[in-house]
Amino acid sequence: MAGYQDLNDFERDFNDGESTSVSVRTLQRTIINMGSQSRRPTRVPLLTARHKALLLSWARQHYHWTVDDWKHVAWSDESRFQLYRTEARVRVWRRHH
């Protein structure tokens, strides 16, 4: 469902055709049957101006690296972050583990 804000957007786009029509509830049941579940997203910290400057500096220092250079990197931490806080109620769909 990449590129869609929510199931309502997906439903509108899907129902734009002439031959088929589905409801949001049908989409929800289908996604659940495919092994996903809806939950609230994890809260993540906002990036400060300092964080953004540090990230840009790091990117510029590593811009010239080749694929071979990156093969020697062990990624030990993956973090999520937000540029802007949203007040909208958001739910995300995740696969069961």
Side-chain angles (χ1 to χ4, degrees):
M1 291 202 8
Y4 293 102
Q5 290 296 318
D6 60 23
L7 286 177
N8 291 317
D9 289 345
F10 187 78
E11 176 200 24
R12 264 191 305 279
D13 191 42
F14 189 85
N15 289 335
D16 198 26
E18 298 175 5
S19 61
T20 307
S21 153
V22 297
S23 68
V24 169
R25 184 64 191 129
T26 298
L27 293 170
Q28 288 172 334
R29 277 195 314 269
T30 302
I31 291 170
I32 290 168
N33 289 338
M34 291 171 61
S36 295
Q37 62 186 12
S38 171
R39 57 179 69 181
R40 289 188 173 193
T42 305
R43 289 186 143 260
V44 295
L46 291 173
L47 286 179
T48 64
R50 180 175 179 272
H51 293 140
K52 292 175 188 178
L54 289 170
L55 284 169
L56 182 58
S57 172
W58 184 90
R60 286 180 174 155
Q61 290 171 11
H62 296 85
Y63 174 76
H64 67 280
W65 277 29
T66 65
V67 171
D68 194 49
D69 292 329
W70 288 110
K71 287 181 181 178
H72 300 287
V73 175
W75 301 100
S76 62
D77 181 31
E78 292 184 20
S79 299
R80 291 182 45 186
F81 56 87
Q82 285 182 274
L83 295 176
Y84 307 100
R85 184 151 332 270
T86 177
E87 297 300 323
R89 288 187 63 179
V90 177
R91 297 196 61 89
V92 295
W93 290 92
R94 301 270 189 246
R95 287 210 167 251
H96 293 287
H97 293 291

